[in-house]
Amino acid sequence: MSKRARTPTPERDQAPTQRQAGESPGQAKRVGARDFRRRARTTKPKRATARQAQSSGTGLSELLAELPGLAFVSDMRRIPRAAWICMLVACLNAVCWSLVTPAFQSPDEPDHFAYVKQLAETARLPSSGSEQLSTEETKVLEGLQSSDVRLRPQNRSITSPAAQSRLQRYLAAAAKYPAEGSPAAGVAASQPPLYYALETIPYSFASSKTLLNRLQLMRLFSALFAGLTAMFVFLFVREALPGEPWSWLVAGMAVALAPLLGFMSGSVNPDSLLFAVSAALFYALARAFRRGLDMRAAVAIGALTATGFLTKLNFIGLVPGLLLALAVLGVRARRTSARQAYRLVAVSVGIAFMPVALYAAINALSNHETFGIVSGAIHTAHGSLLAEANYIWQLYLPRLPGTVNDFPGLFTARQLWFNGYVGLYGWLDTPFPSWIDDAALVPAAAIALLCGRSLLRARSLLRSRASELCVYALLALGLLVLIGANSYRSFPATDAEYAQVRYLLPLLALFGAVLALAARGAGRRWGPTVGALIVVLFLAHDVFSQLQVIARFYG
């Protein structure tokens, strides 16, 4: 034996055994103390940096120094491969929908295209909500026979050589008109300009092509937002539901394959960007609840909120929940430093509401409603606030005893919302057969029961996160109330004008969490299998939805 060989000693050989078996409490305590000191040495530089940041100045230079280190942006380098896969699948799904859906056969797409056309060709915003679109776009719509196909399921799109030749003649005639923009943009005219400004990039890139080429390139650009939505849903579930990484993939993949997300993101519509921004905001909030509110998180939340305001006015429905989130996070941060907490909340709110102040000032100077459709929703033209509240309640839930029935013979939760989610495409004129809606109740009920079981098993944890759950609930409630209030404006001429499931897709992050909880509700042994079945279910739903659209327009 070598002289350098270690000679066994009782102390050396028995100490590990004693620690593993727990035979020496004193020694176990010393090991625990040693581990604690090691963690303290590891985190000491971080704590020192945090104290230095809190004690430093509060000027603009400090804020600018924080901007490059936004928490969710810096984490992009460490995004799991599974999240990128979800993003890729969502993008490809939206691209497929952009090819399957005929031109201008998605909700309000002619108006949204007109907005981009006006912005790209004249650098001015639309000045009218009239349906009198530009001559070029009108000619193309005539060549597509859009008015005959829209809302008339018995009519098909361009399916014959004669119809194709006719369309080519109209496209050639439309190309002769100068780039004059489109001052009228229909229902899109009242919306903020961010999404449309981004869409001017593919529009200008294909300016030498026909109008339909430009439309398709814009659709492909919009499909990128579907990928961002799925990725941020994955990241939100990872933050909100730590542990069981396979369940994060269930949420991300199911959302990536959601037919309605692909359908809306495969068309020219600001909803696609709104979905992505909302999912990113949910992720930023979940991250702040889990790791605490710092300057980077405050700036991120404020910037995402400002982006939402500049994307679509429906984002305003999320504001009550956002304010509650900042209040809760500020109270938590106050335990460390009251001054720092106030500063963080002020920075976030200031960044978030700068676009709102500018928008309100512009509307006031141009004699428009201060907050656009939100002002109209608040100032109802008929009835009372109590009647409006009763209408909003019945739009989602069964009528309360003793109240006026605003939807006689209609179970809104099932017939408007559930059936609308199962399948309602095109201009809301392409549904599934009624027996498909009935059959879909079975997997929906199973997912609901499994999610409930998962929540029941984690009820003690839910109590510890009650404030965070209240924030998510208020985010959802605010959006539901805004949708109902806008629908009430046209009531009783129209029963539920805005009862469209696409308006609920800013809550896709919560939907992904429900699916992850449902998979976990099956237990550790069967959970991954159930999760795989959920993803397959969404894939089948997506494929058959596209086939239904093909049959409607080309069959």
Side-chain angles (χ1 to χ4, degrees):
M1 180 181 293
S2 172
K3 294 181 180 180
R4 301 184 63 179
R6 183 176 63 87
T7 303
T9 62
E11 292 81 2
R12 284 178 178 170
D13 291 344
Q14 293 177 8
T17 305
Q18 290 173 351
R19 289 197 297 268
Q20 293 172 5
E23 296 177 4
S24 175
Q27 192 129 357
K29 290 181 180 179
R30 288 195 295 274
V31 172
R34 200 158 51 240
D35 291 340
F36 179 80
R37 286 194 297 272
R38 185 174 65 253
R39 296 192 189 102
R41 287 194 300 269
T42 303
T43 58
K44 184 176 180 181
K46 297 180 180 179
R47 293 201 304 269
T49 303
R51 287 194 297 268
Q52 183 179 1
Q54 291 180 2
S55 61
S56 58
T58 60
L60 180 61
S61 60
E62 180 191 358
L63 179 59
L64 293 177
E66 294 285 353
L67 286 176
L70 291 176
F72 74 99
V73 173
S74 62
D75 282 349
M76 287 294 179
R77 299 176 181 176
R78 299 188 298 272
I79 290 178
R81 184 179 301 175
W84 292 112
I85 294 175
C86 294
M87 179 178 182
L88 177 61
V89 171
C91 287
L92 293 177
N93 185 36
V95 168
C96 291
W97 275 100
S98 73
L99 300 174
V100 166
T101 307
F104 300 114
Q105 289 300 327
S106 62
D108 305 321
E109 190 172 37
D111 296 339
H112 297 305
F113 182 89
Y115 196 127
V116 177
K117 181 178 175 63
Q118 170 72 2
L119 202 57
E121 295 179 355
T122 68
R124 293 193 299 269
L125 297 177
S127 57
S128 170
S130 169
E131 296 295 334
Q132 297 294 326
L133 306 179
S134 67
T135 307
E136 180 187 14
E137 186 174 353
T138 301
K139 283 291 183 182
V140 174
L141 289 173
E142 292 176 0
L144 292 169
Q145 300 177 344
S146 181
S147 60
D148 295 331
V149 177
R150 185 178 70 179
L151 302 178
R152 292 179 173 87
Q154 69 277 11
N155 296 336
R156 299 294 182 260
S157 185
I158 305 298
T159 56
S160 65
Q164 181 67 28
S165 299
R166 180 177 181 271
L167 174 60
Q168 293 299 329
R169 291 195 299 271
Y170 273 90
L171 288 174
K176 297 178 181 179
Y177 290 95
E180 58 185 1
S182 180
V187 297
S190 62
Q191 294 298 332
L194 178 59
Y195 171 80
Y196 306 101
L198 293 175
E199 282 286 13
T200 60
I201 300 173
Y203 183 96
S204 301
F205 184 78
S207 59
S208 60
K209 306 296 183 180
T210 66
L211 186 143
L212 293 183
N213 294 134
R214 281 174 269 162
L215 174 68
Q216 184 58 39
L217 197 58
M218 292 163 64
R219 284 182 167 189
L220 296 178
F221 182 82
S222 188
L224 297 175
F225 299 128
L228 292 175
T229 302
M231 183 182 70
F232 280 116
V233 168
F234 178 98
L235 297 176
F236 166 77
V237 176
R238 185 182 66 164
E239 292 290 338
L241 301 173
E244 308 293 349
W246 56 266
S247 66
W248 311 336
L249 185 59
V250 171
M253 287 295 292
V255 168
L257 294 169
L260 197 54
L261 174 64
F263 169 62
M264 293 306 304
S265 299
S267 63
V268 179
N269 196 302
D271 283 341
S272 58
L273 179 57
L274 178 63
F275 304 153
V277 173
S278 300
L281 179 62
F282 271 95
Y283 164 60
L285 291 175
R287 192 181 190 283
F289 273 111
R290 186 179 178 188
R291 311 186 189 190
L293 183 67
D294 54 16
M295 179 59 71
R296 293 178 299 177
V299 173
I301 293 171
L304 287 170
T305 304
T307 304
F309 283 135
L310 292 173
T311 299
K312 193 170 183 179
L313 294 179
N314 291 30
F315 183 84
I316 296 176
L318 302 178
V319 170
L322 173 66
L323 295 178
L324 177 61
L326 290 176
V328 173
L329 292 171
V331 170
R332 293 184 179 183
R334 191 175 182 274
R335 299 169 186 170
T336 303
S337 171
R339 179 181 178 184
Q340 177 74 353
Y342 295 143
R343 185 166 66 94
L344 292 175
V345 174
V347 167
S348 187
V349 172
I351 295 174
F353 285 90
M354 279 193 296
V356 177
L358 181 61
Y359 179 75
I362 293 174
N363 280 340
L365 294 175
S366 58
N367 296 323
H368 292 123
E369 292 180 327
T370 305
F371 296 108
I373 62 172
V374 179
S375 298
I378 297 174
H379 302 99
T380 56
H382 58 87
S384 62
L385 288 178
L386 185 60
E388 183 176 3
N390 178 58
Y391 174 89
I392 295 173
W393 176 278
Q394 293 184 37
L395 187 62
Y396 305 102
L397 299 169
R399 178 176 65 93
L400 295 175
T403 58
V404 178
N405 191 350
D406 291 330
F407 300 94
L410 189 66
F411 183 25
T412 55
R414 164 71 193 280
Q415 294 169 268
L416 294 180
W417 299 107
F418 183 78
N419 292 355
Y421 170 77
V422 172
L424 197 58
Y425 309 108
W427 284 81
L428 308 182
D429 58 1
T430 309
F432 276 110
S434 58
W435 68 268
I436 296 290
D437 298 331
D438 296 335
L441 289 171
V442 177
I447 290 174
L449 290 175
L450 287 173
C451 180
R453 183 173 184 266
S454 183
L455 292 174
L456 184 62
R457 293 168 59 185
R459 55 187 179 276
S460 59
L461 180 60
L462 294 179
R463 285 193 292 268
S464 65
R465 300 177 63 180
S467 57
E468 181 181 359
L469 295 177
C470 288
V471 166
Y472 298 147
L474 188 57
L475 286 166
L477 181 62
L479 185 62
L480 294 176
V481 170
L482 178 65
I483 294 170
N486 282 318
S487 294
Y488 186 70
R489 296 177 64 193
S490 59
F491 180 76
T494 304
D495 286 340
E497 182 177 3
Y498 291 91
Q500 302 176 32
V501 182
R502 65 187 177 104
Y503 293 131
L504 301 182
L505 295 194
L507 306 177
L508 274 174
L510 299 182
F511 184 57
V514 168
L515 297 175
L517 287 171
R520 292 186 181 190
R524 291 193 174 184
R525 180 179 179 183
W526 295 103
T529 301
V530 171
L533 290 176
I534 290 175
V535 173
V536 171
L537 175 66
F538 274 76
L539 175 60
H541 186 199
D542 187 48
V543 171
F544 282 104
S545 295
Q546 293 186 32
L547 292 176
Q548 184 69 11
V549 171
I550 292 173
R552 185 283 191 225
F553 288 105
Y554 306 105

